[in-house]
Amino acid sequence: MSDLDRRFVHEVSAGVLRQQDAIDEVLAPLTTHGWSRVPDQLKDVLRLGVYQLRYLDRVPPHAAVSTCVEVARNLAGERSSGFVNAVLRKVATEPSSPPTRSPVTLSREYSHPDWLVDRWVDRFGEPETRELLAWNNRRPAMTLQPARQTLDSVREAINAAGVPTEDVPQGMGLVVEGRRPTLLPGFAEGAFVIQDPAQAWVVRYASFPPGSSVLDACAAPGGKTVALAQTAGLVVAADKRRNRIPRLRQNLERAGGGTVVLAVADAEAPAVGPVDCVLIDAPCSGTGTFARHPDARHRLQAEDINRLAESQTAILEGSHSTVRPGGLLVYATCSLEPEENERQVDRFLAGHSEFRRETPEGVPDEMLSPMGDLVILPQRHRMDGAYSARLRRDAE
């Protein structure tokens, strides 16, 4: 595909995932025999059509309808194409009604699971939850973090190519809109990596001393590994999923530096001896990254939170002994859920008196919890959500 077509396809497919419930509410009354009886393939074709008709202003209605009709014809035959044509023409000619604004309909209005919206309303209140849901339905910005070149050098090269950039506050990257990263100056040379500011803040919060030996226990795809290796003496980048190692290696070969050793290893039983610092970027629900991964909200189930928390507990119990006396253990997630974040760390500290919280300097107060943990919330900080706790092991 051309770059223009590729961006359009991504916009429409991601847009449908972000607005799926609202789109389905438009379509359901227009299907004579019931929305549940429409084949899944045709549901998706209709959703693609409604997104173009209701959420995009650059696609002429007749073009959106005719394209979807043709897709339906190729997928399911002439009869199905007639059905799609009739439904989408109704959508194109009937005015859209504004959504009802009440706590009961928040989940449908913003296409999020009921159970998760209820959790967030209980925790943040309705106004702030609405802000969070609206953020999740926005197209996320692409942010570049410096790797083999400085931030100033990356900005200068990209601007010289006629591509505008916007600085993220406090030097946490450059925002570039409307470009594929592989086409930007410096990509092939490893000048930068693509990484949200929230993840860059996790590395800054970790604040590992220069020259340290580091275990990055859940390293793939490697964005944090690249950043850690810039100042570490040695980084062991490990991941238990063998199929993720090639991407990790590819990212390190393009943009990495320093001394990095790759390993297929389970974080619950690390295959290395004591090191100065351990980073556990734990597998989690990812509720802080729904803007970037709109499909994740539809896969996540309520029971997954506790299941993931059990896995995180096992990783902490398995990895903490790898930290040598006086060293650092940094635990991080991209989740917003307390069970995976502060409660997880509180539980760990209750059973391991040799560790204590230690907050580094240079992190804004508005990103710190009362206990000194890093807490980034999309609706407050305008970036992905992230959590991190920095734990110092007592020196013997």
Side-chain angles (χ1 to χ4, degrees):
M1 289 183 180
S2 69
D3 189 42
L4 183 63
D5 286 345
R6 184 187 297 269
R7 293 204 305 270
F8 175 75
V9 168
H10 186 272
E11 164 67 26
V12 174
S13 56
V16 167
L17 289 167
R18 294 186 182 106
Q19 305 291 346
Q20 184 170 305
D21 288 351
I23 289 172
D24 287 358
E25 287 205 351
V26 172
L27 287 165
L30 304 179
T31 53
T32 306
H33 299 293
W35 179 240
S36 62
R37 298 182 63 181
V38 177
D40 288 342
Q41 281 187 324
L42 292 185
K43 283 182 177 178
D44 284 338
V45 173
L46 289 167
R47 288 165 176 154
L48 291 166
V50 171
Y51 185 78
Q52 293 175 75
L53 292 169
R54 290 287 174 90
Y55 294 90
L56 298 181
D57 55 12
R58 64 180 182 271
V59 181
H62 67 86
V65 173
S66 62
T67 300
C68 290
V69 168
E70 185 62 27
V71 172
R73 181 179 290 112
N74 293 335
L75 283 174
E78 195 65 38
R79 183 176 179 181
S80 294
S81 71
F83 166 70
V84 168
N85 182 59
V87 171
L88 290 183
R89 286 191 180 280
K90 289 180 184 177
V91 175
T93 57
E94 293 180 0
S96 58
S97 56
T100 304
R101 293 190 173 272
S102 71
V104 178
T105 63
L106 273 179
S107 58
R108 293 191 297 275
E109 181 181 343
Y110 291 99
S111 193
H112 281 66
D114 289 337
W115 66 269
L116 187 57
V117 172
D118 289 343
R119 281 174 63 98
W120 288 345
V121 168
D122 288 343
R123 183 175 171 202
F124 300 123
E126 184 192 341
E128 195 168 342
T129 298
R130 187 180 292 281
E131 286 289 320
L132 173 56
L133 298 175
W135 173 268
N136 288 347
N137 282 356
R138 291 178 48 175
R139 182 190 307 147
M142 182 176 74
T143 306
L144 316 184
Q145 302 294 343
R148 290 182 176 170
Q149 295 181 13
T150 66
L151 190 65
D152 289 341
S153 297
V154 172
R155 182 194 305 105
E156 182 179 345
I158 292 176
N159 291 163
V163 179
T165 60
E166 178 184 345
D167 282 21
V168 178
Q170 296 176 296
M172 302 307 288
L174 294 173
V175 174
V176 180
E177 294 289 352
R179 295 292 191 279
R180 286 174 62 190
T182 55
L183 301 179
L184 293 172
F187 177 85
E189 296 78 16
F192 58 84
V193 295
I194 310 302
Q195 187 183 63
D196 189 82
Q199 301 308 309
W201 271 114
V202 170
V203 175
R204 183 178 289 191
Y205 177 84
S207 192
F208 291 155
S212 298
S213 57
V214 177
L215 170 63
D216 189 353
C218 308
K224 294 185 182 70
T225 311
V226 168
L228 292 171
Q230 292 176 16
T231 58
L234 167 69
V235 177
V236 178
D239 204 286
K240 77 172 184 178
R241 293 160 290 187
R242 184 179 295 272
N243 64 339
R244 301 193 76 189
I245 297 298
R247 185 181 176 194
L248 174 59
R249 178 183 290 110
Q250 183 183 50
N251 286 334
L252 290 170
E253 288 176 348
R254 183 184 68 83
T259 303
V260 181
V261 177
L262 299 184
V264 179
D266 191 337
E268 295 181 19
V272 299
V275 294
D276 299 323
C277 306
V278 173
L279 172 64
I280 300 173
D281 189 8
C284 67
S285 62
T287 51
T289 62
F290 280 176
R292 204 164 300 282
H293 304 290
D295 54 316
R297 71 183 75 173
H298 301 294
R299 294 197 310 266
L300 188 67
Q301 303 296 318
E303 56 269 23
D304 292 338
I305 304 295
N306 289 331
R307 177 182 58 80
L308 287 161
E310 290 175 2
S311 175
Q312 293 151 5
T313 297
I315 290 173
L316 277 166
E317 291 297 332
S319 295
H320 78 274
S321 59
T322 307
V323 181
R324 65 168 41 109
L328 285 166
L329 171 64
V330 172
Y331 173 81
T333 76
C334 55
S335 170
L336 306 181
E337 312 315 310
E339 297 94 323
E340 301 180 84
N341 295 338
E342 56 267 30
R343 292 182 196 170
Q344 189 68 254
V345 173
D346 289 345
R347 183 215 55 79
F348 173 78
L349 291 176
H352 296 278
S353 59
E354 73 274 23
F355 284 89
R356 65 186 188 281
R357 281 180 164 98
E358 183 180 272
T359 306
E361 297 180 356
V363 180
D365 289 343
E366 61 268 21
M367 289 184 177
L368 295 174
S369 74
M371 298 298 294
D373 298 345
L374 180 72
V375 178
I376 300 177
L377 300 174
Q379 72 274 23
R380 296 179 190 174
H381 303 114
R382 318 313 289 174
M383 62 183 80
D384 285 354
Y387 170 86
S388 188
R390 188 173 186 263
L391 310 176
R392 175 76 69 179
R393 184 172 186 174
D394 291 339
E396 291 182 351

